[in-house]
Amino acid sequence: MNCLMSWPEPVVRVQSLSENGIGTIPDRYIKPISDRPALKSEIHDHLDVPVIDLQNLFGKDPALHQETSRRISSACRDWGFFQVVNHGVSHELMKRTRAVWRDFFELPLEVKQQYANSPSTYEGYGSRLGIEKGAILDWSDYFFLNYLPVTLRNQSKWPAHPASCRELVAKYGAQVTKLCGRLLKAMSINLELKEDYLQNAFGGDEMGACLRVNFYPKCPQPELTLGLSSHSDPGAITILLPDPDVAGLQVRKGGKWITVTPFPNAFIVNVGDQIQVLSNAIYKSVEHRVIVNSEKDRISLALFYNPKSDLLIEPAKELVNEDRPTLYKPMTYDEYRLYIRMNGPCGKTQIESMKSNR
């Protein structure tokens, strides 16, 4: 991991660039023409990711439970993304946690710099993914922290200001990881596995969880860049708390980019690469990216629920047969995530490289 100890170049904070009132973005942020967003043409009013009410998922009415499960399964197969409401997480906690992170990014730069991160763990205040010298960068800053397992949780690396940040993150993490467990149970049952299969396969009580708070500053030339380049998430599932006022997440569907319209008080859930592997591609992770705009900045909170880092992840034997042979070779999550830490977001290159030759 020595190759990941430091960034290859001085780190520039995108928020500082934006607040300095530049009229054109530096070349380092200009994407190749094929990767640039068509900002107006790619908003499809008639098409959006499914919105699923979880109220009946573990209720007493078997018919309503079955219908909710069916909708989750369909979304995992057809979209890899869905929004959830009545998810059990306090709306007030969601609002306060998002607000405290916006307050953090409004602090003076010298305060935020105390938490500057390195590529060895990515923990702290950052502005790039990947360590390739001269790479084209994304128009965003972020804060990354470990939540689970508890042995990796180091609250001294979480912001001390605003004063309520650490307490809110702890409460928020507890409620959202509980939601992750509920969704994994539903996915296990839908795959005709035991309800605790996915949770146990990913490490049980030793599963990991980390939070990345994304800050996308206003951009004078949003048509030339991206807030986050196209990628699929490397872990098991991701729970995203979006900005309620500014859309930015785009999901790749049928070769087109669909801009997701956030539903009030909803989370956006997406299938990660490890679910694709373990389900033997019955459920698929999906490419997504983030666009920026010239009028408003944007903030979102992504909680990643990940396998225990040293466990080998491979397709469940129950989902492998003559008609559907093993599609992926075994790999630990530590080995898997090293790729994105070194190379940054690269579409679905990583999971495609895992395909088995058998």
Side-chain angles (χ1 to χ4, degrees):
M1 297 288 283
N2 289 336
C3 61
L4 295 175
M5 291 308 293
S6 61
W7 300 113
E9 299 141 329
V11 174
V12 176
R13 303 306 180 188
V14 177
Q15 187 177 3
S16 296
L17 292 175
S18 178
E19 291 176 351
N20 284 339
I22 58 172
T24 57
I25 63 175
D27 290 347
R28 291 293 307 276
Y29 299 92
I30 297 177
K31 302 293 182 183
I33 292 175
S34 59
D35 294 339
R36 295 177 193 173
L39 298 178
K40 292 183 180 179
S41 63
E42 291 179 335
I43 298 177
H44 299 267
D45 294 332
H46 62 286
L47 192 62
D48 209 342
V49 302
V51 179
I52 301 175
D53 188 335
L54 296 185
Q55 185 173 358
N56 298 307
L57 183 59
F58 295 106
K60 295 181 180 180
D61 188 315
L64 293 174
H65 167 86
Q66 188 173 13
E67 173 60 17
T68 305
S69 294
R70 185 197 64 77
R71 295 199 65 203
I72 292 173
S73 182
S74 176
C76 290
R77 291 170 186 265
D78 299 338
W79 279 90
F81 268 81
F82 53 99
Q83 299 193 63
V84 294
V85 295
N86 290 321
H87 39 62
V89 179
S90 160
H91 294 172
E92 181 64 20
L93 180 60
M94 295 163 65
K95 180 179 178 181
R96 291 179 62 203
T97 306
R98 186 168 45 212
V100 81
W101 280 108
R102 181 169 284 280
D103 290 344
F104 170 81
F105 282 100
E106 290 176 356
L107 291 172
L109 179 60
E110 58 269 22
V111 176
K112 293 178 288 191
Q113 282 292 112
Q114 296 173 24
Y115 302 95
N117 72 349
S118 77
S120 59
T121 66
Y122 276 86
E123 282 185 279
Y125 176 51
S127 298
R128 66 176 293 165
L129 298 169
I131 59 169
E132 179 188 349
K133 190 172 183 178
I136 298 174
L137 302 177
D138 290 332
W139 191 262
S140 58
D141 299 323
Y142 64 85
F143 197 102
F144 181 90
L145 60 86
N146 287 312
Y147 185 78
L148 290 176
V150 175
T151 52
L152 288 181
R153 187 186 305 176
N154 185 350
Q155 292 196 358
S156 69
K157 294 184 178 181
W158 301 3
H161 301 285
S164 60
C165 185
R166 292 177 179 176
E167 178 186 1
L168 285 170
V169 168
K171 291 179 178 178
Y172 179 84
Q175 292 196 20
V176 178
T177 52
K178 182 178 179 181
L179 171 61
C180 290
R182 294 179 69 197
L183 290 171
L184 283 186
K185 283 185 178 181
M187 291 178 187
S188 293
I189 294 168
N190 289 337
L191 290 167
E192 298 183 358
L193 302 168
K194 294 180 180 179
E195 72 170 20
D196 57 356
Y197 187 97
L198 290 176
Q199 183 84 28
N200 289 339
F202 290 139
D205 292 339
E206 296 181 274
M207 279 192 72
C210 50
L211 179 70
R212 190 176 72 215
V213 184
N214 307 295
F215 187 79
Y216 304 102
K218 290 182 288 188
C219 179
Q221 295 176 296
E223 71 281 2
L224 298 182
T225 192
L226 291 167
L228 188 56
S229 295
S230 173
H231 66 287
S232 57
D233 289 348
I237 57 175
T238 303
I239 308 288
L240 181 77
L241 176 60
D243 193 306
D245 302 316
V246 189
L249 174 66
Q250 290 190 325
V251 175
R252 194 172 181 86
K253 174 72 170 173
K256 297 180 179 179
W257 288 103
I258 310 299
T259 302
V260 178
T261 302
F263 198 83
N265 297 315
F267 283 113
I268 301 171
V269 180
N270 64 280
V271 172
D273 292 347
Q274 305 306 311
I275 291 280
Q276 177 168 329
V277 170
L278 207 142
S279 72
N280 209 26
I282 294 173
Y283 292 167
K284 294 183 177 67
S285 61
V286 171
E287 279 186 79
H288 52 287
R289 68 184 188 182
V290 176
I291 57 174
V292 292
N293 69 85
S294 59
E295 301 298 323
K296 295 180 179 179
D297 57 33
R298 179 174 173 271
I299 194 164
S300 67
L301 283 67
L303 187 136
F304 304 101
Y305 203 47
N306 301 325
K308 186 173 181 286
S309 61
D310 59 355
L311 281 183
L312 275 177
I313 306 298
E314 59 185 326
K317 292 179 174 56
E318 294 86 342
L319 303 178
V320 174
N321 53 48
E322 289 185 5
D323 296 328
R324 195 180 192 90
T326 298
L327 296 178
Y328 304 100
K329 55 192 175 186
M331 183 180 289
T332 68
Y333 185 59
D334 255 350
E335 294 171 317
Y336 192 87
R337 67 181 171 186
L338 182 62
Y339 180 93
I340 194 169
R341 287 187 171 185
M342 294 186 70
N343 298 287
C346 300
K348 293 200 69 174
T349 306
Q350 170 64 341
I351 187 138
E352 291 301 316
S353 73
M354 279 186 68
K355 286 191 173 178
S356 174
N357 294 324
R358 287 179 285 178

